[in-house]
Structures are given as C-alpha cells and as structure tokens.
C-alpha cells in the first residue's frame, strides 16, 4: 500500500503565505527525480517520508523551506512510521525519513539506506484525551481504568501502544481497553466521535484536534517520552537538498514550528 | 486455444491483465516463511481472529439472507414509484468506500448517533462489540445477495408462478414451492459472495467496531496490525485469506452447474429450450 496524498499539499490552503507561494510555483512541474545531482545547490525536488503525527508541522516546514530555497520542491508523504520504513526498505524513492520512533529508523539504518547519522529532532508524550464535555468525568489514568469507562488505546504492536504500556506500568494502572487500535489517529477518532470515554494519544494529537477533545496531562507519561529521529537517505538523487531539509528541521525554524505543534525538544 | 478469431493484441492485453491479478498473489506466496507458517497461523491471536472472522461472517451472511431475500423479491416482483431509486440506494454500499460505510454506521448506531443515543438510553451499546462487526459486514455484503438474487428472479420470469397460481396455489405456496427453488443456485452463490465480502471487510469494521482480540479484531484487522511488527505473520495470515477467497470463488462458480443437474427447471433462460 502506498500513501501519497502529499502531492496535493493538503494544508497548503491553511496559511495565506503558502497560498501565495503555491500560486508562485503553480506552473512548476515536479522534477520527479529524473537527473542525478552532484552539486551543492539546494534547488532540487525531494520526497520526504514523515510519520503521520508530523503532518501539521512538516506541511508548514516544507512550505517555508521552499520559500527559503527558490527552485526546491518538497513532496511530503505521511503514513505510519512502520509503513514508511517498509516502503523505504522495499525501494520506495525517498530522500528524507522522519520517524515517530527510533525502532523504525533503525530498521532503515540496518538495511544500509541512511546517508549519514540519524538525528533526534523532537519528542512527544502521551496524554489522556476525552470528548469535549468529559461525559465520564475522567481526571486521571486511574479514572480511565474504572469499570464501565470505555477507554481506547493503541495496540502494543505500534509505537504509541508500546509507550502506553510504559505509562501504565509507571502509573501502576491496568487498563482494560474496549479497543486496541493500530494507529494513534484511530484512537483519536474514537474519542472525537464520542464513542470512547477516554483515549491515550500524543499531546500533539490533542493540540491538533482543537476543541473536539479535552487533554488531561498525565504525570506518569513524563518518564515515557517518544523520540523522533530524522535522516537523509542514501538513495537520494539530490543529497544537497535532502540534507538541507534535514538541517532546516533541526534549525531554529524547525524548532519553532514543531514547538507550536506541541512537540518537545530532544 | 480455440476461438482464434480475436486479434492477437487483444489476447496479449488480456494476458497482461491476467498477470496483473495473478502476479501479486504469487509474490505474496513467495514471501511466505514456510518453516514458520504453521506456528504463525496457529498463534493465539491468529486463531482468535480467524474464529471471530468465521463467526461474524457467517452471522452476517445469515442476516443478509433474512433481509436480502425479501428485498430482492420486492425489487423483482413488484412495481412502485421510485423503485429504480430504491434499487440504486440499496446497492450503494457496493460502490461506497467501506470506511465511509463505517462512518455512516457510526453516526447512526454510535453512542451519539441518530439511533444510537436512544439505544444507549435503553442500555444497548453497539460500538466496540462483536455486534458492530456483524453490522459492518452485513452493511457491505447485503448488496451482493440482493443483486445476484434479483437478477436471477428477473431472468427466471413469472410464467411458472402464474401457472402455479392458476392451479390454486396460494402466494406463500408459490413463493416456497416455485419462486425460491427456481433461484436457489443464485441464492447460494449470493450467500457465498456476501460471506466472502463479509470476511474481507476491513474499513467499516475499523471505523465502527474498533479492534480488540477475540471481540472485534477480525482476520483482516489482525493482518493490518501484525504487519507493524511481524510482516511474516501478516503474510501468512494473508495467504489464509487468499485461500478462503479462492475456495469461495470456486464454490460460487460450481453452484450453477450443480443446480442445473439437480433441477432441470432452473437453467438460466438463455439455455432453456425455446420449444418446450
């Protein structure tokens, strides 16, 4: 399965700046990785594979990057980190990989596909999300474990589920979830629709959901921080632009945009 | 190959098209970790998913028969204003993305849904239950049964039913002794197809029912989840689903000839001797 919504530049409509920019390069045809580049010029077309939780900040960062480097064209592909890692190891053309956990980036590294070292660029922590109005009156992780409370979590097999298990252990709470979803966005969806009374999601998911959910910070989550690594990929046809994008995410602009989305500094 | 009257390039394109369907299945089979195949497909979670899938799909297929047969009869044997519109609406889940079906079910039977809020007040919660899985499956599978049965009813015509009625048979007798036996093979293939569709249901289940081992995590959801950590397990389980699909298609194709030999009356209209 291949996810490529990014070509549409989904959130390009969000900021007026971006709209102007999009109008500016409307005539440009993405290079699609035709010619091998060896120079240092940052003006090529790159494809960035990024974890789904990075959708909001990376869409913004890609637009800013294109603005700062005329001629550069960033195509974003968002999906679950393990999907992206599998696609990269199966030969999908990507220039940069930003993963929501170190495990999946390690898989790509083990396959010998990294151009350099992976760098940690953001952190995320879990929070309890409850539907607006908090119908079940949840205020702690223990409340979410009460009988009759419908709590939804990520399955152990996915990164957010592994962190959930750590948080449960730290809080000495044993949740009996009504559903173990395969992605954090599915957990959030069950909370937003009001089907679930509570769900364990990332702080950034609560921030992105706006008024639809209420976030309840978990003191126990502080010890189970998810780290996001980023790396340029070895098979890139434009290593200069790929590395420049990585540096941009690690730089001041990247920090500011990620911080605004709720991500912590590593 | 007989029938060589076709231009060669048509045959060539057909072969490419055939490969397009068959090659991915072969690639899947090639990726199977055969030494681990049996342990992978008999793991606790895999068994729970397989059993749940069979249970829910059979229930969904049964539900499809219970409501789908009357629906097909009404569509084929009655005429009313807006019938074409009704038929199109009934067949809608066939072309609708399943995830859209899931969202629609959620807004109908979910806790804050159209009917769900009343059900919730009565103490009935459907979301996150096996019932939700069956409903998702029946929603997407129903058109298969209605479509195949209605087509059969129309092509079978009403001649035998009319004769039966003139000989004094009541409506129920005509339905039971003439109409339904006439379309039995199509009914069986419709059941098999709706069962298969229910077995493969993913999007609506994921959206509406959630995913919990033994309760709502059917085989396709298990495949989707295993893929995260154990691609070998996902491939092995996928192959099971491919096997079931092949068996189902085989049965659906076999049903008609079997039916013909058992009951001379029920050959499709096109094969029937015009003189008799």
């Amino acid at each position: 399965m291949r996810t490529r919504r990014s070509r549409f530049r989904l959130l390009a409509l969000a900021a007026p700046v971006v709209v102007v920019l999009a109008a500016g390069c409307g005539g440009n045809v993405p290079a699609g990785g035709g010619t091998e580049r060896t120079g240092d010029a940052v003006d090529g077309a790159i494809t960035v594979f990024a974890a789904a939780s990075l959708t909001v900040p990376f869409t913004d960062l890609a637009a800013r990057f294109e603005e700062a480097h005329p001629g550069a064209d960033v195509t974003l592909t968002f999906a679950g980190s393990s999907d992206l890692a599998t696609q990269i190891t199966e030969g999908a053309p990507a220039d940069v990989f930003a993963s929501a956990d170190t495990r999946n980036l390690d898989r790509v590294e083990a396959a010998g596909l990294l151009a350099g070292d992976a760098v940690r660029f953001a952190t995320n922590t879990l929070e309890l999300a409850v539907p607006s109005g908090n119908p079940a009156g949840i205020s702690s992780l223990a409340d979410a474990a009460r009988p009759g409370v419908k709590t939804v979590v990520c399955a152990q097999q996915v990164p957010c589920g592994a962190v959930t298990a750590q948080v449960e252990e730290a809080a000495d709470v044993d949740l009996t979830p009504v559903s173990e979803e395969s992605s954090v966005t599915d957990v959030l969806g069950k909370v937003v629709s009001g089907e679930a009374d509570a769900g364990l999601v990332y702080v950034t998911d609560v921030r992105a959901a706006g008024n639809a959910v209420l976030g309840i910070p978990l003191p126990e989550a502080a010890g189970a921080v998810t780290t996001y690594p980023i790396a340029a990929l070895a098979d890139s046809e434009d290593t200069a632009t790929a590395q420049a994008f990585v540096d941009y995410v690690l730089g001041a602009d990247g920090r500011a945009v990620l911080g605004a989305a709720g991500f912590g500094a590593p | 190959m007989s029938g060589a009257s076709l231009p060669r390039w048509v045959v060539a394109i057909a072969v490419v098209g055939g490969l397009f369907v068959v090659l991915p299945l072969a690639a899947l089979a090639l990726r199977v970790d055969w030494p681990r195949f049996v342990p992978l497909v008999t793991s606790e979670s895999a068994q729970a998913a397989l059993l749940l899938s069979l249970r829910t799909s059979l229930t969904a297929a049964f539900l499809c028969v219970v409501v789908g047969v009357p629906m097909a009869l009404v569509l084929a044997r009655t005429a009313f204003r807006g019938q074409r519109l009704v038929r199109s609406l009934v067949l809608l889940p066939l072309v609708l993305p399943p995830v859209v079906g899931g969202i629609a079910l959620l807004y109908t039977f979910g806790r804050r849904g159209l009917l769900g809020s009343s059900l919730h007040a009565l103490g009935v919660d459907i979301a996150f239950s096996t019932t939700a899985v069956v409903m998702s499956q029946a929603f997407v599978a129903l058109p298969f049964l209605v479509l195949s049965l209605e087509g059969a009813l129309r092509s079978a015509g009403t001649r035998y039913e009319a004769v039966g009625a003139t000989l004094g048979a009541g409506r129920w007798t005509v339905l039971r002794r003439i109409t339904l036996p006439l379309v039995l093979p199509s009914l069986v293939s419709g059941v098999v197809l709706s069962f298969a569709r229910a077995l493969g249901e993913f999007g609506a289940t994921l959206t509406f029912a959630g995913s919990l081992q033994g309760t709502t995590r059917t085989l396709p959801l298990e495949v989707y989840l295993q893929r995260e950590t154990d691609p070998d397990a996902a491939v092995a389980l996928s192959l099971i689903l491919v096997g079931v699909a092949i068996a189902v298609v085989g049965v659906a194709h076999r049903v008609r000839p079997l039916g013909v030999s058992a009951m001379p009356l029920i050959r499709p209209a096109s094969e029937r001797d015009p003189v008799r």
Side-chain angles (χ1 to χ4, degrees), chain A residues 134-154:
Chain A
N134 196 359
I138 308 279
S139 63
S140 70
L141 196 63
D143 287 342
R146 281 200 321 249
V149 172
K150 296 197 165 175
T151 302
V152 178
V153 299
C154 286

Side-chain angles (χ1 to χ4, degrees), chain A residues 1-219:
Chain A
M1 186 175 68
R2 208 171 249 204
T3 323
R4 277 212 169 226
R5 348 170 204 180
S6 47
R7 282 208 185 260
F8 300 105
R9 297 216 194 109
L10 277 182
L11 291 184
L13 302 164
V17 183
V18 186
V19 173
V20 172
L21 184 87
C25 24
N28 281 6
V29 178
T35 49
E36 184 92 14
R37 288 166 171 274
T38 45
D40 295 335
V42 181
D43 57 2
I46 56 165
T47 299
V48 175
F49 276 23
S53 48
L54 293 167
T55 304
V56 173
F58 266 48
T59 306
D60 191 8
L61 282 173
R64 287 163 182 254
F65 179 78
E66 287 173 346
E67 199 176 18
H69 301 281
D73 185 74
V74 181
T75 299
L76 293 164
T77 295
F78 296 109
S81 300
S82 67
D83 271 343
L84 295 173
T86 304
Q87 286 172 13
I88 293 169
T89 54
E90 296 286 334
D95 304 282
V96 174
F97 179 34
S99 171
D101 64 348
T102 43
R103 190 175 60 93
N104 282 303
L105 201 115
D106 289 348
R107 273 172 58 203
V108 176
E109 185 168 26
L113 294 171
L114 294 194
D117 287 333
V119 187
R120 299 170 173 215
F121 71 98
T123 62
N124 215 344
T125 46
L126 287 186
E127 202 169 67
L128 257 183
V130 297
S132 54
N134 196 359
I138 308 279
S139 63
S140 70
L141 196 63
D143 287 342
R146 281 200 321 249
V149 172
K150 296 197 165 175
T151 302
V152 178
V153 299
C154 286
Q156 289 258 1
Q157 286 89 333
V158 294
C160 57
V163 184
T164 300
Q166 288 177 30
V167 173
E168 278 183 74
E169 199 174 335
D172 197 21
V173 167
D174 205 8
L175 294 172
T176 45
V178 290
S179 183
E180 296 167 354
E181 306 286 338
S182 43
S183 82
V184 71
T185 43
D186 286 337
V187 176
L188 189 69
K190 299 289 192 289
V191 178
V192 169
S193 67
E195 285 311 302
D197 295 320
L200 271 161
V201 299
Y202 291 117
V203 170
T204 52
D205 297 315
V206 173
R207 183 91 50 113
N211 292 328
V213 302
L214 187 68
I216 297 167
L218 296 172

